[in-house]
Amino acid sequence: MSEIPINVLLTTLPSSPGVYQFYDSNDKILYVGKAKDLKKRVSSYFSKTHETGKTRVLVKKIRDIKHIVVATESDALLLENNLIKKYQPRYNVLLKDDKTYPWICIKNERFPRIFPTRRHIKDGSEYFGPYTSMKTVKTLLELIKSVYPLRTCNYDLSQEKIEAGKYKVCLEYHLGNCKGPCEGYQTQEEYHQEIQDIREIIKGNFKSSLQYFKNQMKTYAEEMRFEEAQQIKEKIDVLENYEVKSTIVNPNINNVDVFSIVSDDLYAYVNFLQISHGSIVRSHTLEIKKKLEEEDQDLLALAIVEIRQRFNSFSRELYVPFEVTTEPGLKITIPKMGDKKKILELSERNAKYFRQERFKQEKIIDPNRHANRIMAQMQKDLRLSAEPRHIECFDNSNIQGTNPVAACVVFKDGKPSKKDYRHYNIKTVEGPDDFASMEEVVFRRYKRLLNEAEPLPQLIVIDGGKGQLSSALKSLDILGLRGKIAIIGIAKRLEEIYFPGDSIPLYLDKKSESLKIIQQLRNEAHRFGITFHRNKRSKGAINSELEGIEGIGEKTAQDLLKTFKSVKRIKEASVEDLAKTVGVAKAKKIYDTFH
């Protein structure tokens, strides 16, 4: 640990591009970052209040700062990537993808074999990849095998051993899957011509192979060798079929890497499309776990270096959504229209789909992570001081002022907590007055919670616009809860979200998860309230039918329903059966009314 105070270290930092490293009191590396201006960037950690707790904790732990000055920002980017990989500091982003990917190997041999492998050995062999899916590798190898008969044996096919007749052709030769180089039936030149065509196919370029086979088919047809011409035609069909399956972008777009990024508070997802000869030959999405307040530009720049190294990409042009710092010599294109823009949009769509799939997976595998992410997103979207772990939503139900009721539904960690739902009969309001009803029910709910010392919610959602929200606020004012609980109103027409004292509503993205949770709350409150209202109305209608009989009051009607369960059974009952519950005199009146 450095004995020099942090404020002294900050004043002596150079205003040059470079990489900085933060260390704790045990001389353990906490964080590695890059900067265009080291002094400005590092000083910013200590000169402002950070929004996220993680950054605040990091700054408290810093006891020493080291730095490496480099010539350019792009050099800093490459060095930052290498240092993160080497030290894996606690507060740096996690590139969550440590799989061993498959490659296609063209073995360094006199008659090269072609096979899939997960081991990259430096023995002079050629490796294509890595591929993100073994299925892609197998499909490519099946295509190659169906078009080119290559050897699969591991014999040492040196010229001396072939001339000495050391090997005999195997079953693969008799099946037509190999041309028998082991006995000299196929020349090295012919074999290497096929290998050259295969290289192009693996790169996504089918043109040279197709042209070669079309010329060969024409030659065979002219020589009346129709069976051989038919075999060549079948190979052409296989190649053309496979080429169509690739997403054809634009034949004029060659050797381009496309990158896009989608991010939220906790994670970023970077999609990579590799374009070769107008076709997409690879797609991969990298998940990055954020640790601090990383910007999308920085995350994308880091991911570009990582992905290009991992997939051994040598493309000199990148399509990206915005300006990023990259290694020198690369051409950066930010597409605005046409095919290039469509490719970038395709990449963004892939990143979004991957993100949605991860959400669905985490719901099943790690529901806590899913809840944490949604709560953090709601806090940010609704500008709350705390995560809304406990939310309550209110809705009123009445028809022309009759049987007014209200419902309160409760969500905890983004999920319904049905045991905490409550129904309310409106007691103090006459006629259809939604505003007064809302004021009454909010007051009753939180008066009781305060009296019973129950936990209060972090957020109240009112089903309605500014009027209902103002009514609810009156009750919170009386109870002294204004400012202690966040409260919003949601209007149905355009899903506007109103805040207290703000006449301009907030419009959340229609696909926003925060809006979906609020809509789910509102719909659940409406369902719960309307069910209670219908039951009450139905019960009222039944009671009124019985109470319409002279001498039958509310208590008698309830006793009859308790015994017979329905009005229909009461109508069908005999005088004797009715008399057991209400006496002979009343039983005769009821029987006479219904008969």
Side-chain angles (χ1 to χ4, degrees):
M1 189 184 82
S2 171
E3 295 178 4
I4 305 168
I6 294 293
N7 60 338
V8 176
L9 288 171
L10 294 175
T11 56
T12 56
L13 283 169
S15 299
S16 309
V19 172
Y20 56 91
Q21 296 150 275
F22 294 149
Y23 290 82
D24 65 9
S25 55
N26 299 318
D27 212 27
K28 188 177 179 182
I29 194 162
L30 294 168
Y31 183 74
V32 174
K34 67 165 175 61
K36 194 175 183 179
D37 182 324
L38 279 167
K39 188 168 189 170
K40 194 181 287 185
R41 180 74 186 97
V42 176
S43 299
S44 71
Y45 283 93
F46 301 90
S47 61
K48 67 177 184 179
T49 306
H50 297 279
E51 289 182 13
T52 63
K54 284 180 182 175
T55 312
R56 291 197 293 272
V57 171
L58 166 67
V59 173
K60 281 182 185 175
K61 287 184 176 180
I62 298 169
R63 293 293 177 271
D64 193 12
I65 303 166
K66 293 178 184 176
H67 66 276
I68 304 165
V69 175
V70 293
T72 64
E73 193 181 358
S74 56
D75 290 343
L77 175 70
L78 295 169
L79 180 58
E80 178 197 31
N81 184 57
N82 293 337
L83 291 173
I84 289 171
K85 279 184 178 172
K86 184 176 178 181
Y87 296 112
Q88 297 185 343
R90 183 179 176 184
Y91 287 89
N92 276 99
V93 295
L94 291 180
L95 301 165
K96 299 188 72 183
D97 205 343
D98 54 356
K99 295 185 217 167
T100 306
Y101 290 98
W103 302 73
I104 291 176
C105 175
I106 300 180
K107 195 71 176 165
N108 181 21
E109 295 168 334
R110 193 160 170 262
F111 290 90
R113 287 170 293 148
I114 298 180
F115 53 86
T117 180
R118 289 184 187 270
R119 296 177 63 204
H120 195 304
I121 305 165
K122 292 182 178 178
D123 59 355
S125 299
E126 288 180 81
Y127 291 87
F128 294 88
Y131 292 87
T132 52
S133 160
M134 194 65 188
K135 188 179 177 184
T136 308
V137 174
K138 285 178 178 174
T139 307
L140 261 173
L141 290 175
E142 281 168 14
L143 167 74
I144 290 163
K145 192 177 178 183
S146 66
V147 177
Y148 295 97
L150 299 174
R151 77 176 182 116
T152 54
C153 61
N154 56 2
Y155 296 145
D156 173 16
L157 299 186
S158 65
Q159 194 168 346
E160 297 80 26
K161 289 181 180 179
I162 292 171
E163 287 173 355
K166 189 167 182 181
Y167 308 113
K168 295 292 178 188
V169 291
C170 61
L171 182 62
E172 290 291 302
Y173 172 78
H174 297 294
L175 290 172
N177 296 333
C178 175
K179 290 184 178 178
C182 57
E183 282 199 52
Y185 296 153
Q186 186 180 22
T187 66
Q188 191 178 349
E189 291 73 27
E190 185 190 345
Y191 195 96
H192 276 266
Q193 179 56 50
E194 291 184 354
I195 292 293
Q196 183 53 41
D197 290 345
I198 288 165
R199 283 191 189 97
E200 292 301 313
I201 287 173
I202 293 171
K203 291 175 185 174
N205 181 16
F206 296 81
K207 288 177 186 174
S208 59
S209 295
L210 282 167
Q211 193 56 51
Y212 170 74
F213 283 128
K214 282 175 182 175
N215 292 340
Q216 204 174 15
M217 182 179 71
K218 193 176 176 184
T219 303
Y220 284 153
E222 286 170 354
E223 293 172 1
M224 304 292 186
R225 295 160 67 183
F226 297 118
E227 278 188 25
E228 289 161 284
Q230 178 59 29
Q231 287 172 355
I232 298 294
K233 185 180 183 302
E234 286 167 8
K235 291 182 179 184
I236 291 170
D237 289 343
V238 170
L239 282 173
E240 286 181 336
N241 230 1
Y242 188 84
E243 189 181 30
V244 168
K245 282 182 189 172
S246 305
T247 304
I248 303 299
V249 177
N250 183 324
N252 299 321
I253 297 175
N254 283 330
N255 304 324
V256 173
D257 289 348
V258 184
F259 292 93
S260 64
I261 185 167
V262 172
S263 71
D264 51 42
D265 278 2
L266 301 176
Y267 289 85
Y269 304 88
V270 176
N271 178 260
F272 162 56
L273 295 179
Q274 190 171 16
I275 314 287
S276 178
H277 300 285
S279 297
I280 296 170
V281 295
R282 180 180 287 119
S283 175
H284 179 67
T285 303
L286 181 70
E287 181 184 34
I288 303 172
K289 181 172 171 51
K290 294 183 180 180
K291 290 295 184 72
L292 303 174
E293 301 162 42
E294 293 92 357
E295 296 291 330
D296 280 0
Q297 280 89 343
D298 295 331
L299 292 172
L300 185 58
L302 180 66
I304 287 171
V305 174
E306 170 67 23
I307 290 170
R308 280 172 60 84
Q309 282 182 4
R310 183 177 298 171
F311 293 109
N312 207 25
S313 173
F314 298 106
S315 301
R316 303 317 298 165
E317 185 174 9
L318 309 184
Y319 294 170
V320 289
F322 41 71
E323 280 292 342
V324 288
T325 306
T326 58
E327 59 188 277
L330 288 182
K331 182 185 176 186
I332 302 295
T333 302
I334 303 169
K336 301 296 181 189
M337 60 180 71
D339 284 343
K340 293 179 182 180
K341 180 68 173 171
K342 285 177 186 171
I343 298 168
L344 188 63
E345 287 170 352
L346 176 65
S347 175
E348 286 171 359
R349 197 154 61 245
N350 273 279
K352 285 174 182 173
Y353 278 130
F354 184 89
R355 182 170 175 252
Q356 288 303 323
E357 285 163 18
R358 293 293 290 137
F359 290 169
K360 288 171 187 172
Q361 290 160 7
E362 79 183 32
K363 259 187 181 178
I364 301 163
I365 298 165
D366 189 357
N368 289 335
R369 174 184 155 184
H370 176 72
N372 292 344
R373 184 180 50 71
I374 288 179
M375 292 298 103
Q377 192 64 42
M378 284 192 78
Q379 182 183 354
K380 182 182 176 185
D381 289 346
L382 299 174
R383 308 192 289 267
L384 306 176
S385 58
E387 289 183 354
R389 294 281 174 174
H390 177 177
I391 311 174
E392 298 190 350
C393 180
F394 293 88
D395 183 34
N396 294 326
S397 293
N398 68 72
I399 293 180
Q400 296 176 342
T402 64
N403 305 111
V405 297
C408 169
V409 301
V410 180
F411 273 35
K412 291 183 176 174
D413 288 333
K415 294 176 186 173
S417 177
K418 296 199 174 182
K419 65 184 177 65
D420 296 312
Y421 285 16
R422 294 292 181 269
H423 285 135
Y424 294 91
N425 289 307
I426 303 300
K427 297 176 179 178
T428 62
V429 181
E430 293 294 330
D433 188 340
D434 265 0
F435 299 154
S437 298
M438 186 63 73
E439 190 176 338
E440 178 192 324
V441 75
V442 170
F443 180 84
R444 284 168 58 189
R445 170 67 175 165
Y446 296 112
K447 175 77 172 164
R448 180 161 186 165
L449 288 186
L450 288 169
N451 289 342
E452 295 176 1
E454 290 291 323
L456 297 169
Q458 285 88 34
L459 176 65
I460 299 169
V461 177
I462 302 297
D463 181 14
K466 287 186 280 188
Q468 283 92 338
L469 181 61
S470 300
S471 301
L473 276 166
K474 286 179 189 174
S475 296
L476 293 185
D477 283 334
I478 295 165
L479 295 166
L481 293 175
R482 179 88 174 251
K484 293 180 182 177
I485 308 175
I487 183 168
I488 60 171
I490 178 168
K492 287 188 181 71
R493 194 170 64 88
L494 294 171
E495 306 292 39
E496 305 103 322
I497 291 173
Y498 287 95
F499 292 86
D502 192 346
S503 59
I504 300 168
L506 170 71
Y507 294 94
L508 289 175
D509 188 310
K510 291 290 181 277
K511 294 178 183 175
S512 155
E513 284 186 294
S514 300
L515 180 61
K516 284 178 183 173
I517 294 284
I518 295 166
Q519 287 171 329
Q520 194 182 346
L521 271 157
R522 190 263 315 280
N523 296 342
E524 185 70 350
H526 186 68
R527 178 200 65 77
F528 190 57
I530 208 79
T531 305
F532 179 50
H533 181 260
R534 281 172 183 156
N535 291 342
K536 188 178 177 187
R537 206 171 71 232
S538 302
K539 189 177 173 186
I542 290 166
N543 281 356
S544 63
E545 189 174 0
L546 293 171
E547 288 169 28
I549 301 167
E550 189 184 345
I552 305 298
E554 185 182 348
K555 186 166 188 323
T556 306
Q558 286 176 358
D559 289 342
L560 284 165
L561 285 168
K562 202 176 283 183
T563 304
F564 293 95
K565 308 299 180 191
S566 71
V567 174
K568 186 184 176 188
R569 288 182 179 177
I570 294 169
K571 288 177 180 178
E572 293 170 352
S574 63
V575 174
E576 292 76 18
D577 289 337
L578 292 168
K580 290 174 187 175
T581 303
V582 296
V584 177
K586 288 181 179 177
K588 281 182 179 177
K589 284 182 181 178
I590 294 165
Y591 187 86
D592 291 344
T593 301
F594 290 131
H595 294 83

